[in-house]
């Protein structure tokens, strides 16, 4: 399976996918990394791994449609089977999303459907919830919406800053994104309506309670 990763910045999730590929755990090949922002760290990570990169700077396009047409052509020409959004900070139109339906996934730093959008960690702390986490999901036209593939939950500690929580969540993002790609690459995923069914999935049977006492 040929994958492309779309980024706008740091690219630590991209790195987790590259590392999984290197160790043979991804079961997919990342053949393209595309950034809509020039000179970002993620592009450097791709180059270091010997992966082809492309910069499609949205500022050079007249409108969203022409930007997305170029993006679509690039992905189609490269024979991409799966597009992974990894910190890609452009909203995609319904048209692009439906062209890549069930072949387009995203990672979001909250336990969806809670805390869609930005500043998830600040908002989770403010809301006083005891757990947050991250989600890999298929992309649908509405923002941070779509069938959920994998989630990881982490506790929120009483004295957490948003940065503390971001670090705890990010460590799990780096585990669940490669896992989700592998499940898809292995053909174990089926999208049925709003839900994802996973063949032979093993779920933990323990509950987390926070505070523990
Ligand atoms: C991650 O927190 C991801 O969940 C969100 O954007 C951030 C990207 O970080 N969508 P990085 O560029 O992968 O380091």
């Amino acid at each position: 399976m040929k994958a492309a990763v779309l980024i706008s910045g740091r690219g630590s999730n991209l790195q987790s996918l590259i590392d999984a590929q290197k160790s043979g755990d991804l079961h997919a090949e990342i053949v393209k990394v595309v950034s809509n922002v020039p000179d970002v760290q993620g592009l450097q990570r791709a180059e270091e791994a010997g992966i082809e990169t492309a910069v499609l700077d949205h500022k050079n396009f007249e409108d969203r449609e022409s930007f997305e047409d170029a993006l679509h052509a690039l992905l189609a020409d490269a024979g991409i089977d799966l597009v992974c959004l990894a910190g890609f900070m452009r909203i995609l139109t319904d048209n692009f999303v439906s062209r890549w339906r069930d072949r387009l996934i995203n990672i979001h730093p909250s336990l969806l459907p809670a805390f869609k959008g930005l500043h998830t960690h600040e908002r989770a702390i403010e809301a006083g919830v005891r757990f947050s986490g991250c989600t890999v999901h298929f992309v649908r036209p509405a923002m941070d919406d779509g069938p959920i593939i994998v989630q990881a939950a982490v506790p929120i500690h009483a004295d957490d800053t948003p940065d503390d929580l971001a670090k705890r969540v990010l460590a799990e993002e780096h585990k669940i994104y490669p896992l989700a790609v592998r499940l898809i690459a292995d053909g174990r995923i089926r999208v049925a309506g709003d839900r994802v069914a996973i063949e032979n999935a093993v779920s933990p049977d323990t509950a987390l309670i926070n505070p523990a006492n």
Side-chain angles (χ1 to χ4, degrees):
M1 199 185 72
K2 287 186 179 181
V5 183
L6 271 51
I7 60 166
S8 300
R10 176 178 61 178
S12 70
N13 278 290
L14 164 66
Q15 189 67 55
S16 75
L17 295 170
I18 291 172
D19 293 346
Q21 182 181 319
K22 276 194 188 141
S23 58
D25 293 328
L26 197 63
H27 302 184
E29 192 193 351
I30 307 164
V31 296
K32 269 269 189 257
V33 169
V34 185
S35 175
N36 68 313
V37 182
D39 301 322
V40 292
Q41 192 188 355
L43 286 168
Q44 227 170 305
R45 295 179 192 267
E47 276 154 25
E48 272 160 29
I51 300 168
E52 266 183 41
T53 60
V55 175
L56 277 188
D57 189 341
H58 57 275
K59 291 184 195 136
N60 296 338
F61 292 85
E62 224 164 68
D63 49 27
R64 222 174 260 280
E65 283 67 33
S66 52
F67 168 73
E68 288 185 354
D69 283 346
L71 180 58
H72 176 80
L74 195 154
L75 298 169
D77 287 350
I80 299 301
D81 304 300
L82 180 70
V83 179
C84 308
L85 306 179
F88 183 69
M89 301 302 285
R90 291 299 288 171
I91 290 182
L92 295 165
T93 66
D94 295 9
N95 183 38
F96 184 90
V97 170
S98 42
R99 272 164 140 177
W100 290 90
R101 192 183 167 91
D102 296 345
R103 297 182 297 155
L104 176 61
I105 63 176
N106 180 44
I107 185 153
H108 181 76
S110 77
L111 287 176
L112 290 174
F115 307 115
K116 298 177 177 184
L118 296 174
H119 310 299
T120 52
H121 307 305
E122 285 89 329
R123 288 159 55 215
I125 290 169
E126 255 168 47
V129 294
R130 298 298 190 240
F131 293 96
S132 191
C134 44
T135 305
V136 180
H137 63 98
F138 285 103
V139 176
R140 292 292 181 264
M143 192 183 52
D144 298 325
D145 189 45
I148 291 169
I149 306 166
V150 189
Q151 290 186 309
V154 304
I156 298 181
H157 297 167
D159 56 355
D160 267 351
T161 64
D163 274 355
D164 296 331
L165 180 56
K167 270 193 204 116
R168 198 173 304 127
V169 170
L170 194 63
E172 303 311 311
E173 292 185 39
H174 296 161
K175 297 176 199 163
I176 68 169
Y177 216 176
L179 169 60
V181 171
R182 174 156 57 81
L183 290 170
I184 295 169
D186 287 350
R188 291 174 57 193
I189 297 267
R190 198 166 38 81
V191 185
D194 294 337
R195 294 171 55 162
V196 165
I198 304 176
E199 216 175 86
N200 299 322
V202 179
S203 286
D205 57 8
T206 48
L208 286 173
I209 297 176
N210 184 23
N213 59 51

